[in-house]
Amino acid sequence: MIMKQRVRATMLLLVGVSLAAPARAADKETLQMMADIRMLQEQTQQLQNLIGAVGEALKTVSGRLDQQTEVNRKAFADQKSTIDTLAADLRVVRERVDDSNVRIGSVSQEVEALRQSIELLNVPPASAAAAEPAPAVPGVPPSPSPAAPAPVAPRSAAVGMSPTRLFDEAKAMYWAGQNDLAVMGFDSYIKTFPKSEQADDAQLLIGSAYLQAGANEKAVEAYDVAIRTYPNSNVLPEAYYKKGVALQNLKQLDRAREAFETVTTKYPDSFEATLAKQGIQKLDEQTKKP
C-alpha cells in the first residue's frame, strides 16, 4: 500500500515537472518579445525625435530662404528702379542732344546765310565812271569808248537770306493765295537748305499750293516727291491724304482709294486717317452712282 502511494507521488512529480518546463520556455519567449517591443518603442521614439529635429531645421532653413528671397526681391526692385531712372535720364539727355543738334544745324544755316550776305556786300559795284567816255584832248584823237560790260545775272533771292526768313516768306505767300510765288519760295528753300528740318514741310506745302491752285497733276507729283524723299517724315499722312484728294479731282478713283487706304492702314491714329475714311465713303458714293 505504501509502495503504491510512493509510485503515484513519483508519477505526479514527473507530470508536474514535465508541465513546468514548457511554461518556463513560454515565459522566456514572452520576456524576449517584450524586450524587443521596448527596443522598438525606444527606436521609434528616437526616430520621432530625429524627425522633429529635422522639421525644426527645415523651418529654420525655410525662414532664412524667405528672408533671403525678400532681400533679393528688394535688391532687384531697387536695381530696377535705378535702371528705370537711368533710362529716363538717358532719354531726356538724348532728347536734349537731339534738340541741341537741331539748333546747331539751324544756327549753322543762319551763319552760312550771313556769310553769303557779307560776301555779297564785299563785291564792289561797277563804277559808273568806267562807262563814261574820256574827255577829248586837243590834237589827240579820241580813244574808242570801251564796250559796255555785259549785264550780270541777278543772284538768287535765297542767297544771303536766313532759312527761317525764307521759309516764313514763302509760307506767307502761300497763305495769301499767291501760289506761284509760294512754290518758287519753297523750292528755293529746299534747294538752298536741303538738310533743314523744315525741308519736308516745304515740299508738302509745294503740293498744297498746287492743289490750292487747281493744278492737281503737279500736286500729285509734289506729294510723290515728299513721300519718296522723306520716308520717315511726320508729313506723310497729310501727303498721302492730299494726294488722294488731287487724284479724286482728276477722276482717278482707284488711285485715290489706294492713297486713302494707305493713310488708314499705315497711320490709323492720325487726324488724316479720319479724313481718309470720309474720302473713301465719298468714293463709294461716286461708284454707286450710275
Side-chain angles (χ1 to χ4, degrees), residues 1-275:
M1 186 66 181
I2 295 171
M3 192 64 180
K4 289 181 179 181
Q5 291 178 352
R6 288 180 179 178
V7 172
R8 187 178 295 173
T10 300
M11 292 177 66
L12 290 174
L13 179 61
L14 291 173
V15 171
V17 171
S18 61
L19 293 175
R24 284 196 300 269
D27 291 340
K28 288 182 179 180
E29 292 179 358
T30 302
L31 291 175
Q32 183 65 37
M33 187 178 298
M34 293 177 64
D36 292 340
I37 291 173
R38 282 196 301 270
M39 185 180 296
L40 289 174
Q41 289 176 346
E42 291 176 358
Q43 291 177 354
T44 302
Q45 185 63 38
Q46 291 176 0
L47 184 59
Q48 290 178 350
N49 293 336
L50 288 174
I51 293 174
V54 172
E56 292 296 329
L58 289 176
K59 289 182 180 179
T60 303
V61 172
S62 178
R64 291 180 180 177
L65 289 175
D66 292 340
Q67 293 177 357
Q68 187 63 38
T69 301
E70 182 64 22
V71 171
N72 293 337
R73 188 192 63 78
K74 185 177 180 181
F76 288 147
D78 294 340
Q79 290 179 357
K80 184 178 182 301
S81 177
T82 303
I83 292 173
D84 292 341
T85 302
L86 291 175
D89 294 341
L90 182 61
R91 184 168 55 254
V92 172
V93 171
R94 186 182 295 110
E95 291 176 354
R96 291 181 179 178
V97 169
D98 293 340
D99 183 63
S100 298
N101 290 335
V102 171
R103 293 183 180 181
I104 291 172
S106 299
V107 171
S108 299
Q109 292 176 352
E110 298 285 347
V111 171
E112 179 64 19
L114 291 175
R115 186 186 65 79
Q116 294 176 359
S117 298
I118 293 173
E119 290 178 355
L120 288 177
L121 293 175
N122 290 333
V123 175
S127 176
E132 295 179 358
V137 178
V140 178
S143 59
S145 60
V152 180
R155 293 176 180 264
S156 173
V159 176
M161 186 179 293
S162 70
T164 302
R165 180 182 174 188
L166 180 58
F167 184 83
D168 290 344
E169 287 186 357
K171 199 171 184 179
M173 295 175 188
Y174 170 76
W175 290 118
Q178 300 178 0
N179 297 309
D180 293 339
L181 295 177
V183 169
M184 293 176 59
F186 289 130
D187 184 67
S188 177
Y189 177 86
I190 294 172
K191 291 179 179 178
T192 308
F193 309 105
K195 295 183 179 181
S196 172
E197 62 175 351
Q198 290 182 308
D200 53 346
D201 296 298
Q203 184 61 44
L204 176 72
L205 288 171
I206 289 176
S208 299
Y210 281 133
L211 183 64
Q212 186 171 276
N216 294 295
E217 292 183 356
K218 291 185 177 180
V220 172
E221 294 176 0
Y223 291 133
D224 283 337
V225 171
I227 293 169
R228 291 194 307 269
T229 309
Y230 311 101
N232 299 320
S233 173
N234 59 349
V235 304
L236 293 187
E238 185 175 355
Y240 274 112
Y241 169 71
K242 290 188 174 180
K243 176 184 174 181
V245 173
L247 290 170
Q248 189 175 11
N249 294 337
L250 293 170
K251 306 302 181 182
Q252 300 181 20
L253 303 185
D254 292 338
R255 294 182 62 193
R257 180 184 296 274
E258 181 180 356
F260 290 149
E261 289 178 349
T262 301
V263 180
T264 58
T265 303
K266 289 187 175 181
Y267 315 99
D269 298 330
S270 64
F271 172 72
E272 286 76 12
T274 302
L275 299 178

